[in-house]
Amino acid sequence: MRMLSIIDSINEFIEPAKAWLEENHNNPFMWLAFVLIGIAVFALTYGALNKNN
C-alpha cells in the first residue's frame, strides 16, 4: 500500500502544473522556452557524456 501513497503524492504534486499547462497550452513563448530548455539539457548531457572525444 505504500506504493499507492507515493503515486498519490506524485499526482497531488503534478496537479497544479497540469492545470497551468492546460490554461496556457496555446502560449507560443511557453513552448519556445520548453524547446530551448530541452536543447540546453541535451547539449549539457551530450557534452558531459562525450568529454573524452
Side-chain angles (χ1 to χ4, degrees), residues 20-52:
W20 183 81
L21 281 173
E22 287 175 355
E23 291 174 10
N24 295 299
H25 72 276
N26 58 354
N27 184 350
F29 295 112
M30 178 189 69
W31 292 111
L32 179 63
F34 285 164
V35 168
L36 292 175
I37 290 168
I39 291 171
V41 168
F42 174 79
L44 290 170
T45 304
Y46 185 80
L49 292 173
N50 288 309
K51 263 187 189 178
N52 297 331

